């Protein structure tokens, strides 16, 4: 595609967004309830939210770089980048948040059969099915391959028994992608990757309350759940490959949180609003000003690293451990950002239930970020990966 | 432009890497220091740089240079940093060349720079901390100017053939306008350069200008219009110093990771201890962040885009990452890291000097904050 074609694409995209992105969808998301997750029980928080989802889904722009046959937009990498830039420029909200898009989709595209792709991908793209991730178990967190939930061979299906934990939104999800043990002969080599409907008999969930006061997490119990073998992705006992591939995408998604959103920096705006500027036009709290300025240096340098890794990935020269570096730096930065936002907000940022605080959106979001360096593999695990795979330090 | 080195840039880097590692490894610095060398660098090496064509990296081809950009200058600087090679490259081939580019003075000085015969020094700073403030004056006198004032932290200032001097032709010290840039030959009368050896054993001069007379044609660009060339000089100098810092930090990190694999305690390589693995991995990630920031600034400079913020980010970020690298480097080497015999200490000293040069972490963070309106 020539530069002129890309320029045309950019102006068309800009015009389309101007027309189709409702003004309400150009405001930052204020709380978890503002986020569009789709699914069978989707209850839009506003008509604008529903319009925005419907219009983007119709163009395949919820998943712009997936093939059209699977509900995607069929855009090239360069076009996708332009679309994202144009959306960031008007601060458009993500039309659809979905573990289907960020995690399962890429794994299906790589490992799924044609039937499996045609069955699941379009529904993900349109936000019809909401997915959850059944990886962790009470005794398999960082040591994920130590999982015990078992899938017993019963001819054309498996009988699954066991317990998962920390399953985000399991109580709201329609389907789960789940790691199960199909063999005890080998730790990593005895795992299979299966999909099943959360409405299947024998599946139950129990929410876990978080420090943020929300309970997006669940314990998930599986009691003689019948899972057709046709729902297994990739070969039996080869699920670890799929799991690792998917984790790479999960890590990339989470690390994106460390990137500042386009345009004005809300952290700086917030600090100016509460603390004010002195007569030289500087933030009236010099220590906080310094901390914010140093944070800005790191955040913008991190944005450059992320750009570089994407460019290297596209050119096929990325190191496979790069997502670990993104995840580690991005999540630690995001935690720092929220610490600074809390420090800037002062007592306003502490209000937990008031209307003007939108039910404590700020402190709850701040607490939520503490999980960024735990979910999807802890910071310590990422550092282990960098030490072993990139620096090639000897195994302890 | 993708944010990584293209094939030609990679080739240039490999050439520079081999050449500098062979001719000016850390041992070169050590022997200059041990010999108390009064110049602070090797003129022979400067000639060899010229023979490789490197001195003209930023000089247009029509004027005998390679006509390349800041990415290419940066790959050379990174190798200079990695080997701690004392060299006038940053001040002369990068900062001074950028200041002179496009001016009448370029015709006069570029041939000597390309040939490795001319060394330039930058007389910009007036205090112990780099600031935008310029108090030194240049008064009209005869058909030229008379310079009065003092500069410090002028690297190679005592042996330079050419001094690039920023002086005030109008306004007061804190004004942005009213500055003129001069190309002053070293043999000018009433100019005294007093070299001081710095912590990294390089030499920087304090220079007194006590009514130094220069001709009108010593002006680089326009009278009162020094901001343009001075900004170019500073952007190039800051980005170049960031690239050199990247090399210093990277060199220290490589030594440290190598040591972690080789040093045994408790019967195992110390690199198998997770406490050290995590610190090494954290350090590596910080260096990678810094690397991306530097390349971003270089590419923006080369495309002529607005680069001020990216330059400050690059300089501040490399300052932070490299400081971490040299500090962790000494700590993880244990006692041997504190010995003069071992090279890691040289990295710490050089990092400190470069972190200060052209504005430290705080200076650049402050600039960013001001530009963002807080
Ligand atoms: C918000 C959130 C959402 C999540 N969503 C999901 C989900 O949807 N589905 C799902 O399956 N899981 C989910 N998880 C679970 C998550 O993947 C695990 O919490 C994570 O992998 C860590 O496991 P753990 O909690 O058992 O901690 P542990 O593994 O017990 O770790 C405890 C501490 O020990 C450290 N540690 C452990 N091993 C090592 C080691 N080898 N070296 C150094 N340090 C080590 C860890 O870094 C950590 O600091 C989510 C978690 C969070 C917080």
């Amino acid at each position: 595609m020539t530069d002129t074609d890309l320029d045309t694409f950019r102006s068309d995209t800009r015009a389309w967004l101007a027309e189709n992105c409702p003004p309400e969808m150009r405001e930052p998301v204020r709380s978890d309830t503002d986020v569009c997750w789709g699914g069978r029980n989707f209850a839009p928080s506003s008509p604008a939210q529903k319009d925005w989802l419907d219009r983007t889904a119709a163009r395949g722009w919820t998943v712009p770089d997936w093939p059209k046959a699977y509900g995607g937009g069929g855009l090239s990498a360069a076009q996708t980048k332009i679309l994202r830039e144009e959306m960031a420029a008007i601060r458009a909200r993500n039309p659809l948040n979905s573990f289907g898009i960020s995690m399962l989709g890429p794994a299906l595209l790589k490992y799924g059969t044609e039937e499996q792709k045609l069955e699941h991908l379009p529904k993900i793209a349109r936000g019809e099915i909401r997915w959850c991730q059944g990886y962790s178990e009470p005794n398999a967190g960082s040591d994920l391959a130590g999982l015990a939930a078992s899938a017993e061979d019963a001819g054309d299906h498996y009988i699954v028994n066991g317990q998962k934990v920390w399953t985000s939104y399991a109580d709201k999800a329609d389907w789960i992608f789940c790691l199960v043990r199909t063999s005890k002969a080998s730790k990593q080599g005895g795992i299979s990757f299966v999909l099943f409907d959360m409405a299947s008999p024998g599946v139950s969930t129990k929410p876990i309350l978080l420090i943020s006061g929300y309970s997006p997490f669940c314990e998930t119990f599986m009691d003689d759940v019948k899972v057709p073998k046709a729902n297994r992705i990739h070969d039996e006992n080869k699920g670890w490959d799929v799991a690792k591939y998917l984790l790479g995408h999960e890590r990339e998604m989470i690390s994106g949180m460390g990137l500042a959103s386009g345009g004005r920096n809300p952290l700086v705006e917030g600090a100016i609003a509460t603390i004010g500027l002195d007569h030289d036009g500087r933030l009236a709290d010099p220590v906080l000003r310094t901390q914010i300025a140093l944070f800005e240096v790191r955040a913008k340098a991190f944005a450059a690293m992320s750009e570089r890794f994407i460019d290297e990935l596209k050119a096929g020269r990325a190191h496979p451990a790069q997502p670990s570096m993104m995840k580690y730096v991005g999540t630690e930065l995001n935690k720092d950002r929220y610490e600074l936002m809390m420090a800037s907000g002062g007592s306003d940022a502490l209000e937990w239930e008031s209307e003007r605080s939108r039910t404590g959106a700020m402190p709850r979001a701040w607490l939520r970020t503490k999980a960024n360096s735990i979910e999807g593999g802890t910071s310590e695990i990422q550092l282990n990966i960098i030490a072993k795979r990139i620096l090639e330090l000897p195994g302890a | 432009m993708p944010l990584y080195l293209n094939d030609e840039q990679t080739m240039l880097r490999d050439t520079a890497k081999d050449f500098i590692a062979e001719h000016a490894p850390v041992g070169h610095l050590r022997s200059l220091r041990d010999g108390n060398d009064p110049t602070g660098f090797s003129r022979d090496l400067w000639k060899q740089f010229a023979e490789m064509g490197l001195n003209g990296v930023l000089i247009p081809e029509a004027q005998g240079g390679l006509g390349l950009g800041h990415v290419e200058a940066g790959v050379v600087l990174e190798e200079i940093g990695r080997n701690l090679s004392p060299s006038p490259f940053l001040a002369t081939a990068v900062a001074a060349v950028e200041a002179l580019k496009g001016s009448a003075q370029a015709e006069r000085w570029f041939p000597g720079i390309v040939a490795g015969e001319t060394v330039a020094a930058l007389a910009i700073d007036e205090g112990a901390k780099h600031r935008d403030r310029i108090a030194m004056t240049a008064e009209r006198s005869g058909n030229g100017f008379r310079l009065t004032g003092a500069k410090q932290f002028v690297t190679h200032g005592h042996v330079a053939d050419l001094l690039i001097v920023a002086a005030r032709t109008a306004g007061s010290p804190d004004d942005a306008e009213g500055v003129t840039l001069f190309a002053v030959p070293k043999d000018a009368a009433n100019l005294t350069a007093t070299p001081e050896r710095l912590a990294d054993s390089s030499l920087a001069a304090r220079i007194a200008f006590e009514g130094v007379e220069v001709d009108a044609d010593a002006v680089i660009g326009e009278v009162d219009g020094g901001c343009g060339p001075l900004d170019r000089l500073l952007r190039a100098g800051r980005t170049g110093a960031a690239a050199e810092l990247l090399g210093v930090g990277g060199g220290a990190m490589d030594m440290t990771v190598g040591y972690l694999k080789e040093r045994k305690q408790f019967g195992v390589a110390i690199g198998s201890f997770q406490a050290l693995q995590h610190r090494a991995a954290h350090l590596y990630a910080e260096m990678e962040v810094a690397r991306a920031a530097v390349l971003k600034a270089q590419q923006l400079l080369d495309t002529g885009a607005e680069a001020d913020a990216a330059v400050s980010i690059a300089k501040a970020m490399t300052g932070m990452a490299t400081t971490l690298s040299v500090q962790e480097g000494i700590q993880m080497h244990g006692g041997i890291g504190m010995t003069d015999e071992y090279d890691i200490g040289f990295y710490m000293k050089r990092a400190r000097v470069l972190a200060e040069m052209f504005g430290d972490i705080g200076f650049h963070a402050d600039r960013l904050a001001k530009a963002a309106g807080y």
Side-chain angles (χ1 to χ4, degrees), chain A residues 349-371:
Chain A
L350 296 171
E351 287 188 15
W352 189 252
E353 277 168 344
S354 67
E355 198 171 317
R356 60 189 283 278
S357 72
R358 291 177 175 250
T359 333
M362 174 55 80
R364 291 173 200 269
W366 158 66
L367 288 164
R368 174 63 180 81
T369 62
K370 300 306 174 194

Side-chain angles (χ1 to χ4, degrees), chain B:
Chain B
M1 196 181 323
L3 204 56
Y4 49 76
L5 298 183
N6 66 29
D7 291 346
E8 291 86 58
Q9 290 160 347
T10 307
M11 257 168 61
L12 179 69
R13 187 203 50 203
D14 293 344
T15 309
K17 198 182 200 103
D18 293 346
F19 170 75
I20 295 170
E22 187 186 336
H23 293 93
V26 186
H28 175 66
L29 165 66
R30 187 182 283 280
S31 66
L32 288 175
R33 183 205 61 174
D34 291 349
N36 206 14
D37 179 272
T39 307
F41 63 91
S42 152
R43 285 250 177 202
D44 284 347
L45 186 68
W46 186 231
K47 273 261 184 212
Q48 284 176 293
F49 260 71
E51 281 154 24
M52 307 269 301
L54 296 177
N55 293 359
V57 63
L58 286 168
I59 292 177
E61 280 178 290
Q63 290 174 294
L66 296 179
L68 297 172
H70 292 276
V71 175
E72 287 84 1
V75 302
V76 177
L77 280 164
E78 185 177 345
E79 298 313 314
I80 288 177
R82 189 182 312 283
N83 292 283
L84 305 178
S85 320
S87 171
F89 189 84
L90 174 58
T92 306
V94 178
V97 162
E98 276 300 300
L100 293 168
K101 215 181 240 180
S103 77
Q105 288 287 333
E107 299 293 336
R108 172 160 177 209
W109 295 104
F110 279 179
I113 292 174
V114 170
E117 277 151 13
T118 300
V119 166
L122 312 168
I124 307 293
D125 286 356
E126 300 189 357
K129 297 301 286 183
H130 176 78
R131 293 176 61 179
D132 297 323
R133 190 171 194 275
I134 290 166
M136 177 160 162
T137 58
E139 289 164 315
R140 294 234 179 229
S141 151
N143 71 31
F145 293 85
R146 175 200 291 268
L147 309 181
T148 310
K151 298 282 179 177
Q152 66 184 71
F153 200 27
V154 185
T155 311
H156 324 303
H158 65 304
V159 290
D161 308 284
L162 162 67
L163 294 173
I164 307 282
V165 184
R168 185 157 289 292
T169 36
S172 52
D174 287 311
D175 291 348
E177 306 295 320
V179 171
T180 303
L181 216 54
F182 295 91
V184 180
K186 75 157 172 209
D187 39 23
N190 301 330
L191 182 158
T192 23
T194 315
E196 302 291 355
R197 200 169 286 282
L198 305 183
D200 66 342
S201 69
S202 71
L203 287 153
R206 291 177 178 274
I207 301 190
F209 296 79
E210 288 158 332
V212 174
E213 303 277 353
V214 294
D215 290 340
D217 71 1
V219 172
I220 302 172
E222 307 286 324
V223 176
D224 288 351
C227 271
L230 181 59
D231 280 350
R232 281 208 309 276
L233 178 157
L234 289 173
R235 274 195 292 267
R238 287 164 178 163
T239 308
E244 193 173 336
L245 270 168
L246 202 59
V248 174
M253 178 174 75
D254 291 349
M255 278 188 80
T256 305
V257 172
Y259 193 70
L260 292 180
K261 291 177 186 172
E262 154 201 313
R263 170 73 172 166
K264 287 209 163 118
Q265 287 292 284
F266 302 97
V268 293
I270 57 172
S272 65
F273 300 136
Q274 196 185 50
L276 301 193
Q277 289 187 346
H278 280 194
R279 282 161 55 186
H282 169 70
L283 163 55
Y284 178 80
E286 292 291 302
M287 288 302 304
E288 285 291 286
V289 173
R291 170 173 301 284
V294 172
L295 191 54
K296 185 87 200 164
Q298 292 165 337
Q299 288 191 349
L300 287 176
L301 282 180
D302 285 340
T303 54
E306 157 44 44
D308 256 10
V311 168
S312 281
I313 290 161
K315 183 65 170 61
M317 187 66 219
T318 47
M320 291 193 263
T322 296
T323 301
L324 177 72
S325 178
V326 295
Q327 288 175 351
E328 287 289 63
I330 289 197
Q331 179 64 22
M332 291 198 237
H333 274 84
I336 203 172
M338 289 299 294
T339 62
D340 182 76
E341 191 193 330
Y342 212 77
D343 288 340
I344 190 79
F346 280 67
Y347 282 86
M348 175 165 276
K349 296 180 210 177
R350 184 66 186 149
R352 186 63 253 162
V353 171
L354 283 168
E356 204 59 58
M357 202 178 277
F358 300 117
D360 67 1
I361 301 166
F363 174 89
H364 287 287
D366 177 64
R367 261 180 120 229
L368 281 174
K370 274 193 214 148
Y374 70 103

